[in-house]
Amino acid sequence: QAEAFRNSLSVYPHYIPALRVLGFILTDAGSSEDYNPTEGCQLLEEACNLLDYRGTPQVTAIVKRLLKVYDESGDREGYMRVLNRAENAGILRTSPSP
């Protein structure tokens, strides 16, 4: 399954749907065959960067996956990088609403 998206990215390296789907496949711990969280997170961050961290449901889902994977792997630098970008873009709120 991952191979088709890899092929797509070899032709169109900035194709956001392929970056997103392949990133989700590679960061799915239940997919032991394709599990590669390092590569998956790189692809997901690239998708967010290309989408300029706009507050769309697509970007929000990617950010949540990135934060989950970085938290589970103990990658504090990656976690803080994504969290800061998401907060600055208004995607996530860390303080309670009034």
Side-chain angles (χ1 to χ4, degrees), residues 30-80:
S31 149
S32 60
E33 178 180 310
D34 295 315
Y35 186 62
N36 184 336
T38 301
E39 181 186 2
C41 285
Q42 290 171 347
L43 296 171
L44 291 174
E45 282 199 59
E46 184 174 346
C48 281
N49 288 331
L50 289 169
L51 291 165
D52 199 30
Y53 276 81
R54 286 181 294 230
T56 64
Q58 178 183 22
V59 173
T60 301
I62 294 170
V63 165
K64 287 180 178 180
R65 174 62 70 94
L66 283 166
L67 293 175
K68 178 181 185 287
V69 173
Y70 283 143
D71 183 48
E72 290 173 351
S73 69
D75 184 344
R76 178 129 175 94
E77 182 181 322
Y79 185 92
M80 293 308 297

Side-chain angles (χ1 to χ4, degrees), residues 10-40:
S10 71
V11 177
Y12 303 105
H14 300 295
Y15 185 53
I16 294 167
L19 290 167
R20 183 177 51 81
V21 173
L22 183 56
F24 273 98
I25 290 169
L26 296 175
T27 58
D28 179 5
S31 149
S32 60
E33 178 180 310
D34 295 315
Y35 186 62
N36 184 336
T38 301
E39 181 186 2

